[in-house]
């Protein structure tokens, strides 16, 4: 299988909060011979930041002065209580990596426009309002745009803080990219537009932006400027940039890395059997920065893990306990959690964790609200087994204006550019043939999704009828269990963004299992109602 290499974009630093000495750590990227020693005063920095030295010296960034990414260093060196300023905007990296920088902010003008609601006829989940009754996603759940819009699209959603944050200039500026508060405006704390929700929490923002890296302690525990329990609007005002280069590329030494805390925790808890491991090993060296933050660096690029910082099912919400219904609030570590389990495993995982997101408004079933589980879906698929990584299809190599090849950071949908995404590995096929295959798989999966929705809807309607007829609670409880099972096997695929292409077999298995569970629930209720119908005759 033909493979392309991801060109590593440089990034800026988490460094100055670091300090735990690990003398044996050797994480410098294997590249060109080490540049000559630079006498820029870094030795003074290294006295406290030995991890930074291990990452930086001998790497491609060895010649860069600490002042490239950090301001007010002189004041910090004179008085360590005065923290330096770490420059976190993309332009710092864009100075040297212009092609990557420009492609990140490239706008994909979808002919159908943006703000495409999932819960409408023709959307990914036409029956969403009924099947998610009682959850804030019913107010707005739109298809995602590119990474440059990760922050603004979250803040400007009708389900986020009552619609308080809006695009400056309205629809005319909907395609504007850049800093958050050049694009959005705050309509004020008293804003609550009709048909909107007050959702939003600090944990959810950890994959939308890198601006909080130095303000957020590992897992959002107390000790940083913000934590899991912080006022969400205070956190919003501290976010001015979308996902940054430092999420995937170490700024000190250019090593591929991850910084998402719950992902690091999940990998550490199962280093030999997690979805990224090969031969019982995971290429991730975890570095602890004075107990405040952790990062994980790799010897080789693994974009499956780098993308899994966001493209996974994760819990960032408050909810309830499966065992007794008691509330789970944001002070509980379960509100920042990565299961790394696929559609057939996820319900059992959450039951063991003793957590559910919400109760359905009609049946009272305890339901899991799925996010975007691309990483878990892809794991074990045909492409995964062949060694293909996310960047090869979604960030294909392009030639820049300078004539040099680079990995595009605009993140394409392969179906929209089959030539770049597919034909490097499938040179004997035509673009038309590969697109035909992609759409065939997606059409088949969407058919199963619609059938699963139909039977879930039937289960909900039958439950309501049974409840009106006075069917015993013991029977209703059995039906709720079937609802809980059927729901997670269906909704996983409305949240996963490939319409089954990432793993067609898993999609079919779990969606047909959802249909079967719903049918079983309907039968339980109909059987219980039949004697009552006979009594009325």
């Amino acid at each position: 299988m033909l493979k392309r290499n991801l060109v590593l974009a440089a990034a800026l630093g988490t460094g100055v909060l670091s300090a735990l000495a690990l003398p044996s750590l050797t994480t410098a990227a294997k590249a060109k011979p080490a540049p000559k020693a630079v006498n820029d005063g870094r030795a003074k920095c290294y006295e406290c930041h030995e991890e930074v030295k291990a990452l930086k010296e001998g790497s491609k960034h060895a010649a860069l002065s600490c002042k490239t990414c950090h301001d007010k260093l002189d004041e910090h060196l004179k008085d360590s209580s005065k923290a330096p300023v770490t420059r976190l905007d993309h332009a710092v990296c864009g100075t040297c990596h212009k092609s990557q920088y420009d492609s990140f902010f490239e706008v994909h003008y979808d002919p159908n426009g943006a703000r495409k609601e999932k819960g409408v006829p023709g959307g990914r989940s036409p029956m969403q309002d009924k099947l998610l009754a009682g959850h804030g996603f019913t107010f707005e759940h739109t298809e995602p745009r590119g990474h440059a819009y990760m922050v603004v699209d979250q803040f400007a959603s009708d389900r986020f803080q009552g619609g308080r944050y809006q695009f400056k200039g309205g629809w005319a500026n909907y395609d504007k990219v850049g800093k958050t508060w050049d694009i959005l405006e705050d309509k004020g704390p008293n804003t609550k537009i009709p048909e909107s929700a007050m959702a939003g929490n600090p944990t959810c923002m950890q994959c939308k932006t890198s601006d909080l890296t130095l303000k957020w302690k590992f897992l959002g525990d107390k000790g940083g400027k913000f934590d899991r329990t912080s006022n969400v609007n205070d956190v919003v005002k501290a976010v001015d940039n979308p996902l940054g280069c430092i999420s995937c590329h170490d700024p000190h030494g250019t090593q591929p890395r991850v910084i998402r805390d719950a992902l690091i925790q999940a990998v550490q808890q199962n280093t030999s059997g997690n979805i990224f491991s090969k031969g019982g090993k995971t290429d991730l060296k975890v570095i602890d920065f004075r107990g405040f933050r952790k990062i994980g660096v790799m010897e080789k690029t693994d974009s499956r893990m780098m993308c899994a910082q966001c493209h996974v099912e994760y819990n960032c919400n408050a909810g309830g306990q499966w065992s007794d219904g008691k509330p789970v609030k944001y002070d509980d570590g379960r509100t920042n959690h990565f299961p790394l389990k696929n559609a057939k495993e996820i319900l059992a995982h959450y039951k063991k964790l003793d957590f559910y997101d919400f109760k359905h408004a009609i049946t009272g079933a305890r339901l899991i609200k799925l996010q975007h589980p691309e990483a878990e879906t892809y794991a074990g698929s045909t492409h995964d087994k062949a060694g293909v990584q996310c960047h090869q299809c979604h960030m294909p190599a392009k030639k820049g204006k300078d004539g040099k090849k680079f990995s595009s950071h605009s993140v394409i949908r392969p179906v929209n550019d089959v030539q770049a995404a597919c034909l490097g590995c499938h040179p004997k096929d035509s673009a038309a043939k590969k697109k035909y295959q992609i759409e065939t798989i997606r059409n088949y999966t969407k058919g199963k999704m619609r059938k699963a929705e139909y039977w879930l809807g039937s289960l909900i309607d039958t439950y309501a009828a049974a409840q009106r007829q006075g069917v015993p609670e013991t029977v209703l409880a059995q039906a709720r269990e079937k609802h809980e099972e059927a729901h997670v096997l269906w909704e996983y695929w409305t949240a996963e963004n490939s319409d089954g292409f990432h793993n067609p077999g898993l999609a079919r298995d779990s969606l047909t299992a959802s249909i079967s569970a719903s049918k079983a629930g309907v039968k339980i209720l109909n059987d219980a109602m039949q004697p009552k119908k006979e009594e009325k005759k």
Side-chain angles (χ1 to χ4, degrees), residues 266-277:
V267 171
Q268 282 191 300
Q269 288 175 343
N270 185 14
T271 56
S272 62
N274 67 75
I275 62 175
F276 314 108
S277 66

Side-chain angles (χ1 to χ4, degrees), residues 30 50 92 98 104 147 159 164 226 279 310 357 423:
K30 296 177 181 178
E50 292 192 20
V92 177
K98 185 168 172 42
F104 181 90
H147 285 176
R159 72 171 184 269
R164 173 176 173 175
F226 302 118
C310 301
D357 281 280
L423 299 194

Side-chain angles (χ1 to χ4, degrees), residues 182-233:
D182 291 337
I183 300 171
L184 298 183
E185 60 181 335
D186 182 0
K187 293 293 187 178
N190 296 322
T191 302
K192 180 67 167 66
I193 64 175
E195 287 299 304
S196 63
M198 292 300 294
N201 64 75
T203 304
C204 184
M205 296 182 205
Q206 300 311 306
C207 84
K208 306 290 185 183
T209 178
S210 304
D211 288 1
L212 304 173
T213 302
L214 300 178
K215 301 173 182 177
W216 180 266
K217 192 175 180 180
F218 190 66
L219 297 175
D221 291 339
K222 297 284 186 181
K225 180 175 181 180
F226 302 118
D227 58 67
R228 296 188 304 272
T229 67
S230 295
N231 181 291
V232 65
N233 292 294

Side-chain angles (χ1 to χ4, degrees), residues 36 84 131 183 356 390 423 507 509:
K36 293 181 180 179
L131 305 190
I183 300 171
Y356 66 87
C390 310
L423 299 194
D509 288 349

